[in-house]
Each structure stands twice: as C-alpha cells, then as structure tokens.
Amino acid sequence: MPVQELLRILKDREYSALPKNMQAAAEEAMEALLHSGDGQLCDVIIDRATMEAILEAGKKADDPVIREYAESNVAVTNIKIAVRASKTGKSMEFMKRAMAPCESLNIEKLMKASLVGMDSIIE
C-alpha cells in the first residue's frame, strides 16, 4: 500500500480500507496514540496484530516449512520482547499487550521470567 494512501486512510479514519486483519489494530492504535500520546503503545498494538497475522497465514499454508517459520518467528519475537522488557523494567501488563500467544512457547511463563530477570529467561 502506498504511504500516501495509508496516511489518507488514517487521517480519514477509514480503517475498512485496510486489510481485514489490521483494521481493528489500526483503529485501536490510533485511539491509543490520540488519547495517550504514547507512540510505543501504538507500536505494540500494531506489532502484535502483525504477529497474529503471521501466525494466521502460517496456519493456512500448505507447506510445513512456512507453518513452522511462522510459529518460530512469533516465538522468537516473543522472546525478544521478554528480553527487552526485562532490561527496561516493563510490566506484566505491557508484555500481555505486546506478546502474541503461540503453540511452541508458554508466554505466561516467559512473562513471569522476564519480571524476575534475564537469568530466569535463559533458564
């Protein structure tokens, strides 16, 4: 999608012009940004929706390599979020908002480990 078109959609709040799996996330992110001014929260909302879209596309793929790639990509992204959250002192609520559930990783356990510290994540 051309950047100018995306900007027009957001300016006019025409979220229905976006891909179906991004409509609600775009609206939620825009409202969060307008009400809180928190760009990081806006990023988290869009990033999680993107991870969920990757998982959904992977599950629909016929090729097992694509399915495994999608699952692995989301799991690794969740681990990166946990590491950054631990290093920056982010809350459980932040991580719940940022991480996307996946089959290969217990994100609840990962979030709790992140709150304890880096050594707990590695274990």
Side-chain angles (χ1 to χ4, degrees), residues 44-45 47-57 59 67 70-79 81 94-111:
V44 164
I45 293 166
D47 290 348
R48 180 175 172 156
T50 301
M51 287 192 294
E52 290 170 347
I54 289 168
L55 278 174
E56 183 180 330
K59 287 177 182 176
R67 288 193 303 271
E71 176 69 25
S72 296
N73 182 284
V74 172
V76 168
T77 301
N78 282 332
I79 293 167
I81 291 167
F94 175 87
M95 288 183 280
K96 284 180 181 178
R97 186 97 156 138
M99 292 185 190
C102 59
E103 293 177 13
S104 61
L105 192 62
N106 181 331
I107 64 169
E108 190 70 30
K109 186 175 176 182
L110 181 61
M111 288 185 278

Side-chain angles (χ1 to χ4, degrees), residues 15 18-28 45-47 49-50 53:
Y15 305 113
L18 295 171
K20 188 169 179 77
N21 59 0
M22 294 305 287
Q23 292 172 6
E27 184 173 5
E28 182 183 359
I45 293 166
I46 297 298
D47 290 348
T50 301

